[in-house]
Amino acid sequence: MRVVVAGASGLIGTALVDHLNSSGHQVVRLVRDPGSRAEDARFWNPATGDIDDSAFDGIDGVVNLAGAGIGDRRWSERRKRELRQSRVDATKLLVEAMGAAASPPAVLVAGTAVGLYGDRGDELLDEQSGPGTGFLATLAADWEAAAAEAQNAGTRVAIARAGLVVAESAPFLTRMLPLFKLGLGGPLGNGRQWWPWIALEDQVRALAFLLESDISGPVNLCAPDPVTNREFTRVLASVLRRPAVVAVPRFGPRLLLGRELADGLLFSSTRAHPVALTDAGFEFRHPDLRGALEKILR
């Protein structure tokens, strides 16, 4: 397949490009450097609505992973607009360009997030569960609606709802590791919130699986063994051979990150299961958290 990847320079995008290339596919990266002379690069700028007219010529599939870092800084009103523009508006730009191609791509794999479900406590969530409330849930719902418009041009649309991606350089993990290595890690709040997670290798394999299969609609990209924050903390500390008894009171992250961001990312509970993936026959190489963490941290 000839595949366009948006967001190719990020953690997941970089690994996906390598995986697709090694699997015999031909990748075209959308880049924001208008001066790039790389043969596999095409220019786009979601902020200005610009995109190379030839980007989708002869393209079979598209994977959209573009989006500003959701936890990089406080959610001011300006930052919220940036997050929305980098996801919803960027997706609209992609879909319009795809539809304008002489032969629209056959498939769009649109990366979104399990944040769509919102804070749902212990409720078991699959792809048929409705959206929740809050900024992240609304953002994800609008993001997915923009991607679904590609169906009007006959493109199959698979919505890849990602959880926490476990990788050595994953931002959330790199922020946790220094404290845990010092023996100062611990659960956030009461630690009962569910954290859906997936190993980077399985995330990349699942995205490729969605490209090559006939799956349409939402798909939860998370491991079949979801864990609570308390369990995540316990396993991480065990792999590092450190204690993890210092609970982090809720006011700390709220003070550091802002209440809305802290509650939306750290204290929100989403017990999501990958029903669509497992029903389609996808096999996880890292189904349990301990194995995934041991591979990247030891």
Side-chain angles (χ1 to χ4, degrees), residues 75-258:
W75 289 350
S76 64
E77 291 305 312
R78 178 178 178 179
R79 183 57 175 172
K80 286 181 179 180
R81 289 193 297 270
E82 292 173 346
L83 293 173
R84 182 177 181 84
Q85 181 274 323
S86 70
R87 287 167 170 77
V88 181
D89 295 349
T91 300
K92 290 180 179 179
L93 176 62
L94 276 181
V95 169
E96 290 174 2
M98 288 167 55
S103 179
V107 55
L108 167 64
V109 177
T112 65
V114 294
L116 174 126
Y117 300 116
D119 186 3
R120 305 286 276 272
D122 292 330
E123 180 183 355
L124 290 172
L125 301 166
D126 61 22
E127 289 83 358
Q128 303 307 312
S129 302
T133 58
F135 171 67
L136 278 184
T138 300
L139 176 62
D142 292 344
W143 196 4
E144 294 188 1
E149 290 296 315
Q151 296 173 119
N152 296 333
T155 297
R156 173 174 64 87
V157 178
I159 304 292
R161 294 173 178 167
L164 290 169
V165 177
V166 173
E168 185 177 8
S169 57
F172 87 96
L173 198 55
T174 58
R175 292 168 185 164
M176 294 175 68
L177 283 176
L179 286 176
F180 274 75
K181 288 179 178 179
L182 291 173
L184 300 176
L188 296 171
N190 59 27
R192 295 174 186 168
Q193 63 273 31
W194 291 89
W195 275 16
W197 65 276
I198 186 170
L200 176 60
E201 182 180 6
D202 283 334
Q203 171 83 2
V204 166
R205 291 177 55 248
L207 290 169
F209 182 79
L210 294 179
L211 265 177
E212 299 163 355
S213 69
D214 59 358
I215 299 175
S216 297
V219 182
N220 290 338
L221 266 59
C222 50
D225 182 27
V227 298
T228 62
N229 168 257
R230 181 174 293 278
E231 178 67 5
F232 192 104
T233 297
R234 185 191 68 78
V235 174
L236 176 58
S238 175
V239 170
L240 294 172
R241 299 188 177 96
R242 295 289 189 274
V245 296
V246 183
V248 180
R250 189 176 288 233
F251 74 82
R254 282 178 169 176
L255 184 64
L256 181 64
L257 303 173

Side-chain angles (χ1 to χ4, degrees), residues 15 29 34 46 52 56 61 64-65 93 106 144 147 173-176 178 241 253 264 266 279 282 285:
R29 298 176 299 114
D52 189 330
F56 298 99
N64 181 19
L65 303 173
L93 176 62
E144 294 188 1
L173 198 55
T174 58
R175 292 168 185 164
M176 294 175 68
R241 299 188 177 96
L266 303 181
D279 284 353
F282 180 82
R285 290 182 180 169

